[in-house]
Amino acid sequence: MAGGLAIRVKWQKLSTWLPLLVAALITACSGLVLLKVYALQAERRHEAARAELLSQLSVLRARLEYNLTAPLLISRGLVAQIVYHDGMSDADFRRAASLVIRDYDSIRNLTMSRGTVISSVYPEAPNRAALGVDYRTKPDQWPTVQQAITSRKPVVAGPVNLIQGGAALIGRVPVYLPDPAGGESRLFGLISVVIDMPKVFLASGLDARLLPMELALRGRDGLGRSGEMIWGDEAVFLRSPVEMEVTLPDGTWAMAAIPKGGWAASDGQLRVTAGMGAVLFLLTVLASFGWAFHVRRQQRAVRLVAESEERYRALMETAPMAVVVHRDGVILFANTQATRTVRAPAGETLIGRKVLDFVFPDDRADVAARMGAAMADPETVVGGPVRYVARDGRVVECEVITTRVTLDGEPAVLSVVLDVSQRNQAERERERLLESLQRSNEDLQQFAYIASHDLQEPLRNVAGYVQLLGRRYRGRLDKDADDFIAFAVQGTKRMQEMIANLLDYSLLHREDGEPACVDSRGPLDEALADLGAAMDESGAVVEVVGVMPVVLARRVELARIFLNLIGNAIKYRRADTVPRIRIFARRDGLTWVFSVADNGIGMEPAYLDRIFTLFQRLHSRETYDGTGIGLAICRKLVQHNGGRIWAESEPGQGSTFHFSLQAAD
C-alpha cells in the first residue's frame, strides 16, 4: 500500500507538467501526424486495390484451369481403351477421337504415336504433315516427350510450334501396356492433345481489351515463374503484381496482374486532407474538447477526464492564435492569446463578456451575420477581416475563421483570431515607401531636365566665344594655339550633344498613353524612311524576313527602337563589307521576340551587358562618333513597353540585338 501511494504521489507531481509536454508534442508533431494519416490512407487504398485484384484474378485462374484441364481429361479415356484392348488401330483411334473431340472447341487435334513415331492424327486432313514424324527428330518437342515417357506421367508442353503449322499447348500422356506374364509394362506410345491457346484464353476471359487489369503469364512447359513468357508483358512481373499459380498436370504457370495504369490510386481524398490539414487539426482538437466536457459531466470523479481537460486547456493557452468559444454572443472560453489580442490587463478574464463589445462598431453587423451563418449550418466555415477595439483604445486588425461546434451538448460558435496589425502596417509602410520612391524618381527626372536645359545657355556662350577666337586668331598665333582652339571647339560640341541626349533621355515616358495594338511593320517602315540617307550613303541592304506581328506597344517608341538599332547596325559596319541587316520576329509564348542582325564589326561577349549603360562606349570618338546613350534609350523604351532587350555578338562576325514585346492576341 505504501509503495502504491508513493507511486501515485510521484505520478501526480509528474502530471502537473504533462499537459504542457503534450501541448508541445502536439504542436511539434502535427505535421508528422498529417503525413502519417496520409500514408495510412494510401496504404489502405493500396491494400483494397490488391484485394479486389486478387478476387478478380482468382476467377480468371479458375476459368483458365478448367479450360486447360478439361480437354486433357479426354485423353484418359483413349488411354484406357488402348490398355484394355492391348493396343489400338489407327482407324479405331480416329473413330474414338471424332467422338470425344466434338464437345471441345478448343482442341485442335488428337494425336497417337506408336513409340515416338506419330501414326494417327484426327482430324487428318489439316494435320497430314505430322504423320510418320519421329518426335526424336524435333528438338523443340522431344524434351517434353522424353519427360512424359521417363516419368510415366502426363506433361503439358508449350506453347510449341506444331509440325503441321501454328503454335499450341500440347498435353502428352504416355501409354504403357501391361505385360501378360507379369513383367514390366512396355511403352505403347503417347496420346497428345493439341489445345488452341487463343480459344482457351478467350473462353477464360483473357482479352487484353476487356480486362480491367494488365495480365501476364509465364511458365512455358509448366516451369512456373522460371519458365519463359506465355502471354502479356513481362514487365508486369517487375511492378509488384498480385501473383497466383495456375495448376497444370505435372507443372504450373505463374500468373501476375496489376491494375490498368499501375498502382496509382485516386488521391482526391488525400489532397483534401493535405489542403485542409490545419483546419482539420483544429476541428479535431475541438471535437476532443467537446468529448472531454461530455465525459466530465458523466464522470467528474474520474481523474482521466480531468487530465484530458487540462491537456486541452494547455494546448489552447500555448496556441499562437486567439481562440474564443461563445454562445448567443456571450464568451464561454477564451485563451491567453485572446486576452493579449484585446490588450486586457493580466488576470482579467473575458468569460461572460459579450463578443460584440470588443468589435469595432462599423464591423459589428458583419460579425453578427457570420455568427448567424455558422450557427445555421454546422458544415459552414466563414472567415474574413475584423477590427477589434483593445482595452487601451487602439484598433487591432485581425483575420477571423468562424465555425460551429458543440459545447456541453449544445451548439456554440468557435472563432480563431489572428492578429494581422503588424502585417497590415508593414503593407501600408511598403505602399508609403513606393509612393515616396515614385516622387523621388519624378524629382530626379525633373532635376535631369532642368540641369541639362540650364547647361545649354552657358555652354553655347563658351562655344560661341571659342569659335570667335578661332576665326579671329587662326594663323596669327603658333600651331599649338590653333590646335588648342580646335580641341576646345570639338569639346564644346560634344558637350552640347551629350547634354541634348541626356535631356532626351530624361524626357522619355513623360507624356505617353497606355500600350495599344500596333502592327510593328508600320513603325519599322517609318524608321527605315528616316534612315534613307544613311542607307544610301553606306549602301546598306535591309531585309525584312517574314511578316511583322501585331504587338502591344506605343507606336512612337517602337519606331524609335527600330531607328536606334538599325542606325547602330549601319554605323558600326566593316569598312570593306557592304552592310547587310536582317530584321525578323518569332513567337515565344505570350511574347514576340524581334531581332536585328548585322554583319558589322561585332564585339566581345564580355561587353554585351555594358553596352546598355549610359555613356558606355567600346570605341574611340575618332573611329566612331556618338555619345553612348542610344542603346540605353532602347533599353528604357523596351522596358517601358513591358519587354526586355539583349544582344549576341562575335568580333568580326556581326551582332544580333533581340527585344521582346507582348503579343496582341
Side-chain angles (χ1 to χ4, degrees):
M1 292 293 291
L5 180 60
I7 293 174
R8 191 177 300 113
V9 171
K10 290 181 180 180
W11 170 250
Q12 289 177 351
K13 291 181 179 180
L14 180 62
S15 65
T16 59
W17 298 96
L18 189 58
L20 294 176
L21 177 61
V22 171
L25 289 174
I26 291 176
T27 302
C29 299
S30 58
L32 295 176
V33 170
L34 290 175
L35 289 176
K36 183 63 176 177
V37 170
Y38 181 93
L40 290 175
Q41 288 183 357
E43 183 179 356
R44 284 196 297 268
R45 292 175 68 86
H46 184 68
E47 291 176 353
R50 291 188 72 91
E52 181 180 358
L53 187 59
L54 183 63
S55 175
Q56 297 172 350
L57 198 61
S58 298
V59 174
L60 289 176
R61 179 184 67 173
R63 292 176 180 172
L64 188 58
E65 287 181 345
Y66 171 77
N67 289 320
L68 288 173
T69 306
L72 297 176
L73 294 177
I74 67 172
S75 63
R76 296 187 178 182
L78 295 174
V79 172
Q81 291 187 48
I82 294 172
V83 173
Y84 181 74
H85 293 95
D86 195 28
M88 178 179 286
S89 67
D90 294 340
D92 290 340
F93 172 78
R94 287 192 293 272
R95 282 193 296 272
S98 66
L99 294 175
V100 300
I101 201 173
R102 62 187 179 187
D103 295 329
Y104 296 93
D105 183 58
S106 61
I107 297 179
R108 291 186 56 170
N109 60 72
L110 289 170
T111 303
M112 181 179 72
S113 69
R114 299 181 185 277
T116 60
V117 179
I118 299 175
S119 63
S120 182
V121 60
Y122 182 85
E124 183 175 329
N127 302 288
R128 190 172 286 111
L131 293 175
V133 174
D134 191 334
Y135 286 125
R136 289 176 295 183
T137 65
K138 298 297 179 182
D140 58 335
Q141 298 191 33
W142 172 242
T144 56
V145 172
Q146 187 179 29
Q147 179 184 352
I149 294 173
T150 304
S151 64
R152 300 194 176 194
K153 295 180 180 179
V155 173
V156 177
V160 299
N161 296 320
L162 300 176
I163 298 169
Q164 58 272 38
L169 190 68
I170 302 179
R172 305 189 189 278
V173 182
V175 182
Y176 281 85
L177 299 179
D179 188 352
E184 185 177 357
S185 59
R186 69 184 186 281
L187 175 68
F188 170 79
L190 296 97
I191 299 295
S192 298
V193 182
V194 181
I195 302 172
D196 192 324
M197 289 184 61
K199 290 184 178 180
V200 169
F201 287 165
L202 190 61
S204 302
L206 271 68
D207 188 339
R209 297 171 301 175
L210 303 178
L211 282 175
M213 65 186 76
E214 296 181 37
L215 184 67
L217 290 170
R218 72 184 313 156
R220 189 185 184 99
D221 296 334
L223 296 179
R225 209 177 192 282
S226 61
E228 297 179 7
M229 288 297 299
I230 297 174
W231 191 80
D233 186 358
E234 186 176 7
V236 173
F237 283 91
L238 305 176
R239 297 167 63 185
S240 185
V242 173
E243 296 190 44
M244 285 186 176
E245 285 191 347
V246 178
T247 303
L248 304 173
D250 198 30
T252 61
W253 286 354
M255 175 184 287
I258 61 174
K260 279 191 175 178
W263 289 107
S266 174
D267 59 353
Q269 295 180 357
L270 305 181
R271 286 195 299 267
V272 171
T273 300
M276 297 296 293
V279 176
L280 290 176
F281 173 74
L282 182 59
L283 292 177
T284 300
V285 174
L286 293 174
S288 300
F289 177 79
W291 171 83
F293 272 84
H294 173 73
V295 174
R296 188 172 181 272
R297 288 198 308 269
Q298 301 297 324
Q299 300 178 356
R300 293 184 182 275
V302 180
R303 179 179 176 81
L304 182 60
V305 176
E307 293 177 351
S308 177
E309 180 184 0
E310 185 178 353
R311 286 194 297 270
Y312 174 76
R313 288 185 176 277
L315 177 62
M316 289 294 99
E317 294 302 325
T318 56
M321 296 177 291
V323 179
V324 179
V325 180
H326 48 91
R327 183 185 297 122
D328 298 329
V330 178
I331 298 176
L332 305 177
F333 171 80
N335 65 351
T336 302
Q337 187 61 34
T339 304
R340 294 172 182 167
T341 300
V342 297
R343 277 68 169 177
E348 180 176 328
T349 181
L350 302 182
I351 296 176
R353 301 285 300 273
K354 291 185 177 295
V355 174
L356 295 181
D357 289 346
F358 297 97
V359 179
F360 192 76
D362 293 346
D363 294 349
R364 289 176 181 174
D366 187 34
V367 172
R370 295 181 193 177
M371 294 164 52
M375 288 295 291
D377 185 1
E379 301 297 327
T380 298
V381 177
V382 293
V386 176
R387 291 173 293 178
Y388 291 95
V389 180
R391 293 295 303 278
D392 57 5
R394 288 185 292 176
V395 176
V396 183
E397 299 175 336
C398 299
E399 290 286 341
V400 181
I401 295 177
T402 302
T403 188
R404 185 175 124 178
V405 296
T406 300
L407 183 64
D408 293 332
E410 297 181 12
V413 177
L414 168 71
S415 296
V416 180
V417 182
L418 177 64
D419 188 346
V420 295
S421 299
Q422 292 183 352
R423 186 186 71 186
N424 292 345
Q425 179 63 28
E427 284 292 326
R428 288 190 289 269
E429 180 65 18
R430 184 180 68 86
E431 292 178 1
R432 187 189 65 80
L433 291 175
L434 287 176
E435 292 177 359
S436 176
L437 179 60
Q438 183 176 1
R439 288 194 300 270
S440 177
N441 286 336
E442 293 174 353
D443 292 342
L444 286 174
Q445 279 191 339
Q446 185 68 18
F447 171 77
Y449 172 75
I450 293 173
S452 59
H453 185 273
D454 291 348
L455 285 174
Q456 294 281 359
E457 182 61 29
L459 191 60
R460 280 194 293 268
N461 290 333
V462 172
Y465 282 113
V466 171
Q467 290 173 355
L468 181 61
L469 286 173
R471 289 194 300 269
R472 178 171 298 180
Y473 295 102
R474 183 178 303 278
R476 300 175 63 181
L477 302 176
D478 59 10
K479 185 178 183 302
D480 288 342
D482 291 343
D483 291 340
F484 294 159
I485 293 174
F487 291 154
V489 171
Q490 293 174 1
T492 55
K493 288 183 178 179
R494 285 198 300 271
M495 178 64 76
Q496 285 179 321
E497 185 179 358
M498 291 179 66
I499 292 175
N501 287 336
L502 180 61
L503 178 61
D504 186 23
Y505 186 82
S506 67
L507 291 176
L508 291 177
H509 315 158
R510 289 179 65 91
E511 293 183 1
D512 47 19
E514 293 296 322
C517 294
V518 176
D519 185 346
S520 57
R521 184 59 192 250
L524 174 58
D525 290 340
E526 294 173 8
L528 292 175
D530 291 342
L531 292 168
M535 293 168 59
D536 293 340
E537 178 185 351
S538 63
V541 177
V542 178
E543 179 187 4
V544 180
V545 182
V547 178
M548 291 290 101
V550 177
V551 294
L552 288 176
R554 297 167 178 85
R555 182 185 182 90
V556 174
E557 294 180 351
L558 180 56
R560 187 164 184 182
I561 295 171
F562 281 126
L563 181 69
N564 284 356
L565 294 180
I566 299 172
N568 276 358
I570 296 173
K571 178 193 298 184
Y572 296 103
R573 61 185 182 272
R574 287 181 286 169
D576 57 345
T577 304
V578 175
R580 296 188 180 275
I581 304 167
R582 296 175 67 249
I583 304 170
F584 54 92
R586 62 178 176 84
R587 186 67 180 256
D588 184 13
L590 299 178
T591 64
W592 281 96
V593 176
F594 294 86
S595 300
V596 178
D598 62 55
N599 62 343
I601 61 175
M603 69 192 85
E604 293 290 343
Y607 300 131
L608 293 179
D609 291 332
R610 173 183 168 186
I611 58 176
F612 294 102
T613 306
L614 277 172
F615 303 122
Q616 293 296 318
R617 296 175 51 86
L618 304 182
H619 308 281
S620 65
R621 291 183 176 85
E622 289 74 13
T623 307
Y624 296 99
D625 60 355
T627 60
I629 200 172
L631 289 178
I633 290 176
C634 285
R635 182 176 66 174
K636 193 170 185 181
L637 291 175
V638 170
Q639 292 175 346
H640 189 227
N641 285 274
R644 67 186 187 94
I645 186 170
W646 68 99
E648 298 174 351
S649 186
E650 186 176 345
Q653 301 298 320
S655 303
T656 301
F657 285 83
H658 309 278
F659 65 94
S660 64
L661 294 175
Q662 184 177 352
D665 54 356

